[in-house]
Amino acid sequence: MFQKKILALLCLVVTISSYAQIKGTVADANGKPLPFVNIFEENTYRGTTTNDQGKFELNIKIPGTHSIIFQYLGYKTIKRIVELDKTPVVLDIVMQEENITLNEVVINPKDNPANEIIRNAIRNKKDNSEKTAHYKADFYSRGIIRLKDAPKKIMGQKFDFFDEILDSTRSGIIYLSETVSRITFQKPDKMKEVIVASKVSGNDNGFSFNNAASVNFDFYENYLPFEINVVSPIADNAFNYYKYQFEGSFFTENRQQINKIKVIPKRDNEPVMEGYIYIVDDSYAIYATDLSIKGNQMQTPVIDNLTLKQSFSYNATNKIWVKNTQTLDFVAGMLSIKVNGRFTYVYSNFEFEKEFAKKTFTNQVLSFEDNANKKEDAFWNTIRPVPLTEEETTDYQKKDVLQTKKKSQHYLDSIDAKHNKFKPMDVISGYSYKNSFKKWSVNYDGPLLSTSFNTVQGWRINAGLSYFKRNEEKRSFTSIGTRFDYGFSEEKIRATFNFAHKFNNTNKSLLSINGGSMVSQFNSNNPISNLVNSVSTLFFKNNFMKLYEKNFAALCFEREVVNGIHLYSNVEYSERKPLYNTTDFTVIKSDDLYTSNNPLSPNDETSAAISKHNLVKTNVALRFNFGQKYLSRPDGKYNIPNDAYPTLTLGYEKTFAATDKNYEYDFVSGKVGYDVTLGNKGFLQLNVKGGKFFQADNISFADYRHFNGNQTHIGQSENYTNVFNLLPYYVASTNDSFFETHIEHNDKGYFMNKIPLLKYLQSQLVLGFHNLAIPDRKPYQEFSVGLDNLGFGKYRLLRVDYLRSYQNGYQGDGIIFGLKFLNVLE
């Protein structure tokens, strides 16, 4: 222990000797600390910012005379000449408020002067942007999220996840992390980032997800990449969304005139920001931004407000204004939970290049150096550009102690003992027994939420028992489980078992073995859920779910072969048996009769869609994610889809060893999916599928290609690019060839935000087209128009669509009510 302390001390001395440090505080004339003050060495790209307490640290490698600039919005810029050696220099800066005058700009009485400044900023933004189009830089990020006045209960359930870190007011830091990295960037979106150091409070094995690519907010681009694209105040079409007001101007230390422009949204419900943008006169480069946006404007209702501030520094040598500090502040909340946070980013040590070598950028956009999460405090104290606040320092110390405690077997066993207490209601609701120290659990899923009804089984209960063991470091797991299913009318119990093992989190190799006896829908995509079918059957006598029995054993394996190419394979032996209705029970009495369980002959209770038979079915599929980028972290590989390219899936299916050779066939299929953002005009999704059977004239109906129809008027998915909402479930099933197309465009409020009265719904207009072509039938088509994002306040889980269907002429129309929360219930 003594040797380790001596070694750490020596490292600290060596590191400190390599730097000359300037530190201190920045406050206003009244002594109030000023956060986010832009501090940099004049005509260099070495800089930092103050923390929430106004404290700063600036490390400079070269001793000698240095000119340090202190720049803060609303205050006069200050320059200090500092003589540096190996001894730290302390500067306590007092900043005076800036005198912003209106007579610095020649005002054209026929025009708003702000408009002319913004027009010039738009005209010159390409030139200004290209000055920083290729660069290398150091990047520092710190994120902090606080929970405030946390409730003790939410919807009657205890909310005690953070009790150990909250103070007496039930407030405290729930997340704190830092990263230091080296980035190489080429506009508009090519990035290579290497994380040098990563630190997460309370997790000495954690890796922060903070990275430069995710916070690349460039106002010179037309859009800022939030949940939806937000229009920049100097976008090409900015005057369609903003009004501007000239607030005055002031001069920097090097006598450059800065114009302060107030940015005012024309329509508050559109994806636009409000606040101030500061434009340099003559060059019309950005000097700073201080802009906010509400959560509903960027279609993230959980966020109340988000503020983005940026500061730029000027280098007189190459005449470039470059962003060196950025903060992202937010306030959010839902279900009585209130959080606020700040993410601070510092860019420094820029190296500008005319161009990069061809192989500079690869699909790997982020990687970690070895032991990036194992850096000692001595390292962080010399490389961290923004000093920790007292609150942050305390949080690191407190959670380090708490982490040691939480890792101990005694602590984990005590927590488990509390959690593992059995209650009588657990028999029907479910129960889990944990051993947190050894990282395994046994889980029992009770029948309370899985009870359903269908006309084959009658009332059906389902329960399961499983074992789960995880490896947190590798993000791998092993699970073993069984489920039991009993139908009271059918008076039959069935059981299935499953085993799954995820080998790693890099290529996502997953092996699973399944088997047993179960009832299965003819359409294996399960187009109608148990809950919706139960309601439809019991209250409307519409038993749309059609079932057969499958006794099976299956082996599945999947993995990413190389970046962007995923392999899926499966082999299954199964025995299929027909099933029949066993009950006519209903809640609402009606003279209507249930249809039979035979989708080919709904009025014939004696015939079946299939005969008992056995076969072996094999599947193999390759999915190609073209242009896929990825993050390489020590705990795994995280893929980033590239919306500039479609996703292609190719599949082959073959059956053999059937009890009747007529059941054996070959099947090839393909699918193209394409999701693309159309600027601020919404989101387009395309899903095209096709396939062809060979030697399949007499195959089992269970092996037909079934299409996802819907006769319930209830939609359950986020989008409808995989369903025909007016098509009966099995009317178009085929054993020949097929081609289906689904296109859906969500305007993300682009049109709806401009319609009087309707704009207050804060809804999204959704247009859809669906086409299905199979041999010997006229093409089937659906056209739809709907409103998504409906609801109240922050709870927007509803969607309503009107549809019309055509097949050799008009077929019918209908309304679909989208209930997204049903996915959670299922």
Side-chain angles (χ1 to χ4, degrees):
M1 180 64 72
F2 178 75
Q3 289 177 331
K4 288 184 178 179
K5 289 183 178 180
I6 292 295
L7 181 60
L9 181 61
L10 288 174
C11 290
L12 178 59
V13 171
V14 171
T15 306
I16 289 177
S17 67
S18 301
Y19 291 87
Q21 187 182 65
I22 304 170
K23 62 182 181 178
T25 60
V26 182
D28 64 12
N30 297 318
K32 181 181 178 181
L34 296 177
F36 193 53
V37 176
N38 189 17
I39 304 167
F40 58 94
E41 184 179 1
E42 187 175 26
N43 294 329
T44 74
Y45 297 110
R46 292 187 288 271
T48 185
T49 185
T50 54
N51 65 17
D52 288 350
Q53 297 173 333
K55 297 181 179 180
F56 73 93
E57 294 177 359
L58 179 61
N59 294 317
I60 297 177
K61 296 181 179 181
I62 305 172
T65 303
H66 298 270
S67 177
I68 310 302
I69 305 296
F70 296 83
Q71 177 181 303
Y72 192 60
L73 293 179
Y75 289 79
K76 294 180 180 179
T77 299
I78 291 177
K79 180 192 289 187
R80 288 286 186 269
I81 305 300
V82 179
E83 291 292 334
L84 284 179
D85 52 24
K86 294 180 181 179
T87 304
V89 173
V90 178
L91 290 179
D92 291 323
I93 302 298
V94 177
M95 302 193 76
Q96 304 293 330
E97 290 189 15
E98 181 66 72
N99 294 320
I100 298 179
T101 60
L102 284 170
N103 60 353
E104 299 294 345
V105 171
V106 178
I107 299 177
N108 181 352
K110 296 182 180 180
D111 194 10
N112 178 350
N115 289 351
E116 187 59 28
I117 294 170
I118 294 297
R119 289 192 187 99
N120 282 319
I122 294 172
R123 291 188 195 105
N124 288 274
K125 70 176 184 174
K126 183 177 180 181
D127 290 338
N128 285 319
S129 178
E130 286 181 351
K131 291 177 182 178
T132 57
H134 304 78
Y135 65 79
K136 296 179 181 178
D138 292 331
F139 176 74
Y140 169 79
S141 170
R142 182 190 301 168
I144 181 171
I145 300 176
R146 303 177 184 88
L147 182 62
K148 183 173 177 155
D149 302 325
K152 293 185 178 180
K153 289 187 177 181
I154 296 178
M155 300 179 68
Q157 301 297 314
K158 282 187 178 180
F159 183 70
D160 55 3
F161 299 105
F162 305 107
D163 281 2
E164 291 183 297
I165 60 176
L166 300 180
D167 60 24
S168 59
T169 66
R170 293 189 61 76
S171 301
I173 297 175
I174 58 174
Y175 175 79
L176 173 62
S177 72
E178 299 175 90
T179 60
V180 174
S181 62
R182 182 67 179 168
I183 60 177
T184 303
F185 182 68
Q186 177 176 305
K187 290 187 178 183
D189 57 5
K190 290 184 178 181
M191 173 77 74
K192 182 173 74 173
E193 181 172 8
V194 179
I195 303 292
V196 177
S198 178
K199 186 178 180 73
V200 179
S201 182
N203 187 353
D204 59 10
N205 198 39
F207 297 92
S208 171
F209 275 92
N210 301 347
N211 62 83
S214 62
V215 294
N216 184 31
F217 301 111
D218 187 352
F219 284 89
Y220 289 122
E221 297 291 329
N222 287 326
Y223 305 107
L224 305 173
F226 289 100
E227 180 65 22
I228 60 173
N229 281 338
V230 173
V231 181
S232 166
I234 57 171
D236 293 340
N237 58 346
F239 281 94
N240 294 333
Y241 297 90
Y242 294 102
K243 296 182 292 185
Y244 303 93
Q245 181 177 311
F246 178 64
E247 296 277 300
S249 65
F250 58 90
F251 287 88
T252 65
E253 180 67 22
N254 56 9
R255 302 306 299 166
Q256 294 196 69
Q257 181 174 313
I258 309 300
N259 300 307
K260 182 180 181 181
I261 308 296
K262 186 174 184 179
V263 177
I264 307 166
K266 285 188 174 181
R267 294 168 290 273
D268 289 339
N269 52 336
E270 291 193 308
V272 291
M273 308 187 81
E274 61 181 321
Y276 297 92
I277 187 168
Y278 297 77
I279 302 295
V280 182
D281 208 46
D282 294 333
S283 70
Y284 297 98
I286 297 175
Y287 170 84
T289 66
D290 184 359
L291 295 158
S292 299
I293 185 170
K294 297 180 178 66
N296 66 289
Q297 291 177 289
M298 54 183 179
Q299 315 235 333
T300 311
V302 69
I303 294 179
D304 296 322
N305 191 71
L306 183 146
T307 300
L308 176 61
K309 293 182 180 180
Q310 297 179 340
S311 289
F312 291 68
S313 62
Y314 183 69
N315 188 314
T317 303
N318 53 23
K319 296 182 173 54
I320 294 177
W321 285 92
V322 64
K323 178 177 67 179
N324 59 348
T325 56
Q326 175 176 284
T327 60
L328 201 61
D329 294 89
F330 67 89
V331 177
M334 182 174 278
L335 294 175
S336 301
I337 299 175
K338 301 175 183 177
V339 299
N340 64 76
R342 164 173 286 186
F343 284 79
T344 302
Y345 311 101
V346 177
Y347 303 79
S348 59
N349 298 321
F350 283 88
E351 299 174 19
F352 293 101
E353 306 282 350
K354 290 186 178 180
E355 61 181 28
F356 290 113
K358 290 183 178 181
K359 295 184 179 181
T360 299
F361 300 100
T362 65
N363 289 325
Q364 183 186 57
V365 298
L366 181 143
S367 62
F368 280 69
E369 286 189 354
D370 292 340
N371 299 316
N373 66 329
K374 304 296 182 183
K375 304 296 185 183
E376 300 289 342
D377 288 343
F379 173 87
W380 282 101
N381 290 338
T382 57
I383 201 170
R384 179 186 289 123
V386 184
L388 296 175
T389 63
E390 293 178 8
E391 178 190 32
E392 291 164 341
T393 300
T394 301
D395 187 73
Y396 274 129
Q397 295 170 347
K398 177 181 176 181
K399 287 180 182 172
D400 280 348
V401 174
L402 188 60
Q403 177 185 217
T404 303
K405 173 186 172 183
K406 284 186 172 183
K407 282 185 174 182
S408 69
Q409 184 171 0
H410 175 75
Y411 173 84
L412 293 173
D413 287 348
S414 67
I415 295 297
D416 288 342
K418 180 180 177 180
H419 172 271
N420 292 340
K421 288 181 179 179
F422 183 82
K423 306 180 216 40
M425 274 296 292
D426 292 342
V427 174
I428 60 173
S429 63
Y431 171 76
S432 65
Y433 182 91
K434 294 182 178 179
N435 188 319
S436 299
F437 184 73
K438 295 184 178 179
K439 297 180 175 55
W440 61 262
S441 64
V442 175
N443 305 287
Y444 162 68
D445 297 327
L448 181 62
L449 297 179
S450 59
T451 298
S452 61
F453 181 87
N454 62 68
T455 54
V456 169
Q457 297 174 286
W459 284 105
R460 165 186 173 270
I461 60 172
N462 189 282
L465 186 66
S466 62
Y467 167 85
F468 186 87
K469 183 174 178 61
R470 68 188 186 279
N471 184 320
E472 293 180 348
E473 189 171 333
K474 293 183 178 180
R475 297 286 180 97
S476 61
F477 65 83
T478 300
S479 68
I480 304 172
T482 183
R483 296 199 69 86
F484 301 90
D485 185 294
Y486 182 74
F488 284 89
S489 176
E490 189 187 25
E491 297 182 347
K492 185 170 183 178
I493 187 171
R494 296 179 176 84
T496 58
F497 72 90
N498 63 79
F499 166 84
H501 179 70
K502 182 180 179 182
F503 294 86
N504 59 66
N505 200 38
T506 303
N507 58 34
K508 312 294 191 299
S509 294
L510 178 66
L511 173 70
S512 59
I513 302 172
N514 305 276
S517 178
M518 64 182 293
V519 292
S520 176
Q521 295 188 50
F522 285 101
N523 186 344
S524 58
N525 292 322
N526 298 323
I528 180 169
S529 70
N530 288 321
L531 176 60
V532 170
N533 182 73
S534 298
V535 173
S536 176
T537 302
L538 291 171
F539 293 91
F540 302 97
K541 247 185 173 179
N542 291 321
N543 58 325
F544 296 124
M545 184 180 284
K546 305 302 178 185
L547 305 166
Y548 70 97
E549 181 177 295
K550 183 169 75 169
N551 304 308
F552 71 104
L555 175 68
C556 309
F557 180 75
E558 62 180 83
R559 65 164 291 174
E560 186 177 37
V561 182
V562 296
N563 180 56
I565 302 179
H566 299 256
L567 168 70
Y568 303 86
S569 59
N570 176 72
V571 57
E572 175 186 283
Y573 168 80
S574 63
E575 175 190 61
R576 287 91 165 268
K577 294 181 179 179
L579 294 173
Y580 301 88
N581 288 343
T582 63
T583 179
D584 60 358
F585 175 80
T586 182
V587 172
I588 303 299
K589 299 302 179 182
S590 169
D591 293 332
D592 294 337
L593 299 176
Y594 282 128
T595 59
S596 73
N597 189 50
N598 182 352
L600 299 175
S601 185
N603 298 317
D604 186 351
E605 285 286 356
T606 61
S607 66
I610 63 171
S611 300
K612 178 183 174 182
H613 64 278
N614 303 347
L615 56 70
V616 175
K617 179 187 288 190
T618 59
N619 293 276
V620 62
L622 287 172
R623 189 185 74 209
F624 301 86
N625 291 328
F626 299 106
Q628 175 179 278
K629 307 294 183 182
Y630 63 93
L631 314 178
S632 290
R633 291 164 46 95
D635 58 355
K637 176 174 179 280
Y638 297 84
N639 297 325
I640 305 172
N642 189 333
D643 66 4
Y645 301 96
T647 297
L648 171 66
T649 303
L650 300 176
Y652 174 69
E653 181 176 296
K654 182 176 180 60
T655 60
F656 56 91
T659 51
D660 185 334
K661 284 292 184 181
N662 288 325
Y663 291 141
E664 298 179 7
Y665 66 88
D666 294 89
F667 174 69
V668 294
S669 63
K671 180 173 73 171
V672 176
Y674 188 42
D675 301 343
V676 61
T677 299
L678 304 175
N680 68 322
K681 298 175 179 60
F683 187 63
L684 179 70
Q685 293 177 286
L686 171 69
N687 187 13
V688 178
K689 306 177 186 179
K692 170 67 177 174
F693 285 89
F694 299 92
Q695 294 87 43
D697 292 344
N698 298 300
I699 65 173
S700 169
F701 187 70
D703 295 314
Y704 275 45
R705 170 65 187 191
H706 305 290
F707 304 98
N708 296 333
N710 186 8
Q711 294 172 262
T712 66
H713 298 281
I714 299 296
Q716 299 178 64
S717 56
E718 288 288 328
N719 59 72
Y720 299 149
T721 56
N722 196 34
V723 62
F724 297 95
N725 272 310
L726 294 181
L727 181 71
Y729 292 104
Y730 296 102
V731 70
S733 299
T734 182
N735 61 342
D736 195 342
S737 59
F738 69 90
F739 186 81
E740 60 178 305
T741 303
H742 304 271
I743 303 174
E744 191 169 277
H745 175 253
N746 186 321
D747 84 324
K748 292 295 183 180
Y750 177 77
F751 295 106
M752 295 302 300
N753 289 337
K754 299 175 176 63
I755 302 176
L757 297 180
L758 290 179
K759 65 183 181 180
Y760 297 111
L761 290 175
Q762 298 177 16
S763 61
Q764 302 163 355
L765 178 66
V766 185
L767 303 177
F769 169 74
H770 311 265
N771 182 81
L772 173 61
I774 60 175
D776 304 321
R777 288 172 62 97
K778 294 291 184 180
Y780 174 84
Q781 297 174 333
E782 288 181 359
F783 298 86
S784 65
V785 57
L787 293 179
D788 199 358
N789 201 46
L790 296 172
F792 304 94
K794 298 182 178 183
Y795 308 97
R796 299 187 165 272
L797 300 173
L798 304 177
R799 171 175 170 173
V800 178
D801 288 78
Y802 170 73
L803 297 94
R804 293 175 69 90
S805 63
Y806 295 84
Q807 189 170 27
N808 197 28
Y810 170 74
Q811 291 292 304
D813 60 1
I815 302 292
I816 298 295
F817 298 92
L819 307 177
K820 301 175 186 178
F821 59 86
L822 288 180
N823 286 324
V824 178
L825 296 179
E826 284 293 329

